[in-house]
mmCIF file of all heavy atoms in Angstrom:
data_model
loop_
_atom_site.group_PDB
_atom_site.id
_atom_site.type_symbol
_atom_site.label_atom_id
_atom_site.label_comp_id
_atom_site.label_asym_id
_atom_site.label_seq_id
_atom_site.Cartn_x
_atom_site.Cartn_y
_atom_site.Cartn_z
ATOM 1 N N THR A 19 -42.801 41.186 -87.151
ATOM 2 C CA THR A 19 -42.945 39.805 -87.726
ATOM 3 C C THR A 19 -41.822 38.905 -87.236
ATOM 4 O O THR A 19 -41.570 37.850 -87.869
ATOM 5 C CB THR A 19 -42.954 39.834 -89.271
ATOM 6 O OG1 THR A 19 -41.728 40.409 -89.714
ATOM 7 C CG2 THR A 19 -44.116 40.617 -89.848
ATOM 8 N N GLN A 20 -41.259 39.200 -86.109
ATOM 9 C CA GLN A 20 -40.318 38.247 -85.486
ATOM 10 C C GLN A 20 -40.530 38.181 -83.955
ATOM 11 O O GLN A 20 -40.898 39.140 -83.338
ATOM 12 C CB GLN A 20 -38.890 38.765 -85.642
ATOM 13 C CG GLN A 20 -38.204 38.411 -86.915
ATOM 14 C CD GLN A 20 -36.761 38.726 -86.881
ATOM 15 O OE1 GLN A 20 -36.365 39.759 -86.377
ATOM 16 N NE2 GLN A 20 -35.942 37.833 -87.436
ATOM 17 N N CYS A 21 -40.404 36.947 -83.460
ATOM 18 C CA CYS A 21 -40.454 36.703 -82.045
ATOM 19 C C CYS A 21 -39.231 37.358 -81.433
ATOM 20 O O CYS A 21 -38.093 37.204 -81.916
ATOM 21 C CB CYS A 21 -40.453 35.236 -81.741
ATOM 22 S SG CYS A 21 -40.278 34.854 -79.984
ATOM 23 N N ARG A 22 -39.411 38.181 -80.406
ATOM 24 C CA ARG A 22 -38.246 38.841 -79.796
ATOM 25 C C ARG A 22 -37.350 37.926 -78.932
ATOM 26 O O ARG A 22 -36.357 38.307 -78.472
ATOM 27 C CB ARG A 22 -38.767 40.039 -78.935
ATOM 28 C CG ARG A 22 -39.562 41.001 -79.718
ATOM 29 C CD ARG A 22 -38.879 42.284 -79.724
ATOM 30 N NE ARG A 22 -39.570 43.221 -80.614
ATOM 31 C CZ ARG A 22 -39.347 44.511 -80.590
ATOM 32 N NH1 ARG A 22 -38.572 45.027 -79.673
ATOM 33 N NH2 ARG A 22 -39.922 45.252 -81.466
ATOM 34 N N ASN A 23 -37.824 36.686 -78.735
ATOM 35 C CA ASN A 23 -37.043 35.688 -78.027
ATOM 36 C C ASN A 23 -36.134 34.899 -78.930
ATOM 37 O O ASN A 23 -34.964 34.803 -78.805
ATOM 38 C CB ASN A 23 -37.946 34.857 -77.131
ATOM 39 C CG ASN A 23 -37.117 33.781 -76.384
ATOM 40 O OD1 ASN A 23 -36.256 34.099 -75.616
ATOM 41 N ND2 ASN A 23 -37.481 32.522 -76.667
ATOM 42 N N CYS A 24 -36.818 34.218 -79.877
ATOM 43 C CA CYS A 24 -36.066 33.194 -80.652
ATOM 44 C C CYS A 24 -35.932 33.675 -82.117
ATOM 45 O O CYS A 24 -35.352 32.931 -82.943
ATOM 46 C CB CYS A 24 -36.744 31.860 -80.652
ATOM 47 S SG CYS A 24 -38.403 31.863 -81.459
ATOM 48 N N ASN A 25 -36.426 34.804 -82.464
ATOM 49 C CA ASN A 25 -36.301 35.394 -83.858
ATOM 50 C C ASN A 25 -37.101 34.594 -84.878
ATOM 51 O O ASN A 25 -36.840 34.775 -86.073
ATOM 52 C CB ASN A 25 -34.867 35.609 -84.274
ATOM 53 C CG ASN A 25 -34.231 36.658 -83.426
ATOM 54 O OD1 ASN A 25 -34.804 37.653 -83.081
ATOM 55 N ND2 ASN A 25 -32.936 36.458 -83.098
ATOM 56 N N SER A 26 -37.998 33.760 -84.488
ATOM 57 C CA SER A 26 -38.794 32.989 -85.502
ATOM 58 C C SER A 26 -39.757 33.946 -86.129
ATOM 59 O O SER A 26 -40.274 34.929 -85.490
ATOM 60 C CB SER A 26 -39.530 31.835 -84.791
ATOM 61 O OG SER A 26 -38.676 30.891 -84.370
ATOM 62 N N PHE A 27 -40.122 33.654 -87.315
ATOM 63 C CA PHE A 27 -41.172 34.425 -88.047
ATOM 64 C C PHE A 27 -42.584 34.237 -87.333
ATOM 65 O O PHE A 27 -42.888 33.087 -87.022
ATOM 66 C CB PHE A 27 -41.296 33.981 -89.499
ATOM 67 C CG PHE A 27 -42.472 34.647 -90.174
ATOM 68 C CD1 PHE A 27 -42.334 35.935 -90.696
ATOM 69 C CD2 PHE A 27 -43.608 33.959 -90.456
ATOM 70 C CE1 PHE A 27 -43.405 36.567 -91.281
ATOM 71 C CE2 PHE A 27 -44.692 34.530 -91.067
ATOM 72 C CZ PHE A 27 -44.567 35.838 -91.521
ATOM 73 N N VAL A 28 -43.238 35.288 -87.203
ATOM 74 C CA VAL A 28 -44.664 35.310 -86.733
ATOM 75 C C VAL A 28 -45.418 36.186 -87.627
ATOM 76 O O VAL A 28 -44.867 37.156 -88.188
ATOM 77 C CB VAL A 28 -44.784 35.732 -85.244
ATOM 78 C CG1 VAL A 28 -44.211 34.689 -84.312
ATOM 79 C CG2 VAL A 28 -44.201 37.093 -85.013
ATOM 80 N N THR A 29 -46.644 35.871 -87.832
ATOM 81 C CA THR A 29 -47.484 36.688 -88.716
ATOM 82 C C THR A 29 -47.927 37.998 -88.057
ATOM 83 O O THR A 29 -47.969 38.092 -86.870
ATOM 84 C CB THR A 29 -48.741 35.944 -89.202
ATOM 85 O OG1 THR A 29 -49.565 35.692 -88.070
ATOM 86 C CG2 THR A 29 -48.359 34.609 -89.885
ATOM 87 N N PRO A 30 -48.254 39.000 -88.834
ATOM 88 C CA PRO A 30 -48.774 40.249 -88.215
ATOM 89 C C PRO A 30 -50.050 39.937 -87.390
ATOM 90 O O PRO A 30 -50.289 40.562 -86.366
ATOM 91 C CB PRO A 30 -49.046 41.142 -89.459
ATOM 92 C CG PRO A 30 -48.117 40.667 -90.503
ATOM 93 C CD PRO A 30 -48.020 39.160 -90.281
ATOM 94 N N GLN A 31 -50.838 39.004 -87.848
ATOM 95 C CA GLN A 31 -52.040 38.595 -87.175
ATOM 96 C C GLN A 31 -51.707 38.063 -85.742
ATOM 97 O O GLN A 31 -52.302 38.346 -84.751
ATOM 98 C CB GLN A 31 -52.919 37.588 -87.942
ATOM 99 C CG GLN A 31 -53.526 38.159 -89.178
ATOM 100 C CD GLN A 31 -52.597 38.104 -90.363
ATOM 101 O OE1 GLN A 31 -51.405 37.651 -90.274
ATOM 102 N NE2 GLN A 31 -53.007 38.602 -91.508
ATOM 103 N N PHE A 32 -50.631 37.198 -85.723
ATOM 104 C CA PHE A 32 -50.179 36.594 -84.486
ATOM 105 C C PHE A 32 -49.759 37.748 -83.442
ATOM 106 O O PHE A 32 -50.140 37.693 -82.329
ATOM 107 C CB PHE A 32 -49.018 35.694 -84.696
ATOM 108 C CG PHE A 32 -48.514 34.964 -83.458
ATOM 109 C CD1 PHE A 32 -49.043 33.741 -83.162
ATOM 110 C CD2 PHE A 32 -47.558 35.526 -82.654
ATOM 111 C CE1 PHE A 32 -48.576 33.030 -82.027
ATOM 112 C CE2 PHE A 32 -47.027 34.873 -81.524
ATOM 113 C CZ PHE A 32 -47.607 33.629 -81.238
ATOM 114 N N THR A 33 -48.995 38.708 -83.974
ATOM 115 C CA THR A 33 -48.591 39.799 -83.045
ATOM 116 C C THR A 33 -49.767 40.667 -82.634
ATOM 117 O O THR A 33 -49.719 41.129 -81.485
ATOM 118 C CB THR A 33 -47.494 40.704 -83.705
ATOM 119 O OG1 THR A 33 -48.062 41.271 -84.893
ATOM 120 C CG2 THR A 33 -46.295 39.918 -84.065
ATOM 121 N N ARG A 34 -50.750 40.838 -83.427
ATOM 122 C CA ARG A 34 -51.925 41.631 -83.010
ATOM 123 C C ARG A 34 -52.718 40.904 -81.930
ATOM 124 O O ARG A 34 -53.213 41.529 -80.994
ATOM 125 C CB ARG A 34 -52.829 41.945 -84.198
ATOM 126 C CG ARG A 34 -52.296 43.118 -85.045
ATOM 127 C CD ARG A 34 -53.377 43.661 -86.013
ATOM 128 N NE ARG A 34 -53.791 42.646 -86.893
ATOM 129 C CZ ARG A 34 -53.273 42.374 -88.117
ATOM 130 N NH1 ARG A 34 -52.198 43.041 -88.476
ATOM 131 N NH2 ARG A 34 -53.772 41.447 -88.846
ATOM 132 N N VAL A 35 -52.785 39.576 -82.040
ATOM 133 C CA VAL A 35 -53.622 38.792 -81.135
ATOM 134 C C VAL A 35 -52.812 38.489 -79.850
ATOM 135 O O VAL A 35 -53.368 38.680 -78.759
ATOM 136 C CB VAL A 35 -54.091 37.443 -81.729
ATOM 137 C CG1 VAL A 35 -54.702 36.572 -80.728
ATOM 138 C CG2 VAL A 35 -54.989 37.751 -82.911
ATOM 139 N N PHE A 36 -51.545 38.080 -79.933
ATOM 140 C CA PHE A 36 -50.819 37.636 -78.794
ATOM 141 C C PHE A 36 -49.780 38.623 -78.285
ATOM 142 O O PHE A 36 -49.136 38.438 -77.226
ATOM 143 C CB PHE A 36 -50.144 36.279 -79.119
ATOM 144 C CG PHE A 36 -51.128 35.170 -79.355
ATOM 145 C CD1 PHE A 36 -51.212 34.691 -80.691
ATOM 146 C CD2 PHE A 36 -51.961 34.717 -78.447
ATOM 147 C CE1 PHE A 36 -52.075 33.640 -80.949
ATOM 148 C CE2 PHE A 36 -52.840 33.750 -78.730
ATOM 149 C CZ PHE A 36 -52.871 33.203 -79.963
ATOM 150 N N GLY A 37 -49.586 39.696 -79.046
ATOM 151 C CA GLY A 37 -48.572 40.642 -78.670
ATOM 152 C C GLY A 37 -49.068 41.786 -77.740
ATOM 153 O O GLY A 37 -50.221 41.774 -77.367
ATOM 154 N N ASN A 38 -48.204 42.718 -77.427
ATOM 155 C CA ASN A 38 -48.579 43.847 -76.529
ATOM 156 C C ASN A 38 -49.146 44.973 -77.396
ATOM 157 O O ASN A 38 -49.393 44.782 -78.610
ATOM 158 C CB ASN A 38 -47.321 44.260 -75.666
ATOM 159 C CG ASN A 38 -46.143 44.705 -76.568
ATOM 160 O OD1 ASN A 38 -46.276 45.042 -77.706
ATOM 161 N ND2 ASN A 38 -45.026 44.614 -75.955
ATOM 162 N N ASN A 39 -49.345 46.111 -76.796
ATOM 163 C CA ASN A 39 -49.875 47.267 -77.472
ATOM 164 C C ASN A 39 -48.965 47.791 -78.587
ATOM 165 O O ASN A 39 -49.416 48.645 -79.366
ATOM 166 C CB ASN A 39 -50.251 48.367 -76.526
ATOM 167 C CG ASN A 39 -51.446 47.931 -75.686
ATOM 168 O OD1 ASN A 39 -52.248 47.079 -76.035
ATOM 169 N ND2 ASN A 39 -51.591 48.579 -74.546
ATOM 170 N N ARG A 40 -47.769 47.424 -78.583
ATOM 171 C CA ARG A 40 -46.858 47.795 -79.626
ATOM 172 C C ARG A 40 -46.601 46.664 -80.672
ATOM 173 O O ARG A 40 -45.627 46.763 -81.427
ATOM 174 C CB ARG A 40 -45.494 48.226 -79.041
ATOM 175 C CG ARG A 40 -45.597 49.481 -78.179
ATOM 176 C CD ARG A 40 -44.312 49.881 -77.426
ATOM 177 N NE ARG A 40 -43.793 48.768 -76.609
ATOM 178 C CZ ARG A 40 -44.269 48.497 -75.316
ATOM 179 N NH1 ARG A 40 -45.282 49.203 -74.810
ATOM 180 N NH2 ARG A 40 -43.730 47.533 -74.668
ATOM 181 N N ASN A 41 -47.430 45.659 -80.654
ATOM 182 C CA ASN A 41 -47.392 44.515 -81.583
ATOM 183 C C ASN A 41 -46.011 43.836 -81.473
ATOM 184 O O ASN A 41 -45.472 43.402 -82.497
ATOM 185 C CB ASN A 41 -47.646 44.933 -82.994
ATOM 186 C CG ASN A 41 -49.133 45.367 -83.142
ATOM 187 O OD1 ASN A 41 -50.005 44.768 -82.520
ATOM 188 N ND2 ASN A 41 -49.360 46.368 -83.984
ATOM 189 N N GLU A 42 -45.494 43.655 -80.218
ATOM 190 C CA GLU A 42 -44.264 42.922 -80.039
ATOM 191 C C GLU A 42 -44.620 41.586 -79.361
ATOM 192 O O GLU A 42 -45.477 41.615 -78.402
ATOM 193 C CB GLU A 42 -43.359 43.675 -79.111
ATOM 194 C CG GLU A 42 -42.955 44.989 -79.634
ATOM 195 C CD GLU A 42 -42.347 45.890 -78.623
ATOM 196 O OE1 GLU A 42 -42.727 45.808 -77.412
ATOM 197 O OE2 GLU A 42 -41.521 46.730 -78.939
ATOM 198 N N VAL A 43 -43.995 40.500 -79.682
ATOM 199 C CA VAL A 43 -44.155 39.247 -79.003
ATOM 200 C C VAL A 43 -42.820 38.784 -78.432
ATOM 201 O O VAL A 43 -41.808 38.882 -79.128
ATOM 202 C CB VAL A 43 -44.853 38.114 -79.820
ATOM 203 C CG1 VAL A 43 -46.301 38.445 -80.095
ATOM 204 C CG2 VAL A 43 -44.120 37.926 -81.087
ATOM 205 N N TYR A 44 -42.865 38.275 -77.239
ATOM 206 C CA TYR A 44 -41.611 37.761 -76.602
ATOM 207 C C TYR A 44 -41.650 36.250 -76.427
ATOM 208 O O TYR A 44 -40.845 35.669 -75.686
ATOM 209 C CB TYR A 44 -41.454 38.488 -75.194
ATOM 210 C CG TYR A 44 -41.311 39.937 -75.379
ATOM 211 C CD1 TYR A 44 -42.332 40.853 -75.356
ATOM 212 C CD2 TYR A 44 -40.009 40.473 -75.555
ATOM 213 C CE1 TYR A 44 -42.155 42.167 -75.495
ATOM 214 C CE2 TYR A 44 -39.780 41.815 -75.745
ATOM 215 C CZ TYR A 44 -40.874 42.654 -75.703
ATOM 216 O OH TYR A 44 -40.665 44.013 -75.856
#
Side-chain angles (χ1 to χ4, degrees):
T19 57
Q20 273 190 320
C21 172
R22 300 242 172 166
N23 177 58
C24 68
N25 294 323
S26 292
F27 173 78
V28 292
T29 65
Q31 293 84 0
F32 183 92
T33 60
R34 282 193 301 271
V35 172
F36 299 113
N38 59 22
N39 290 337
R40 293 175 304 280
N41 292 324
E42 302 164 328
V43 290
Y44 295 92

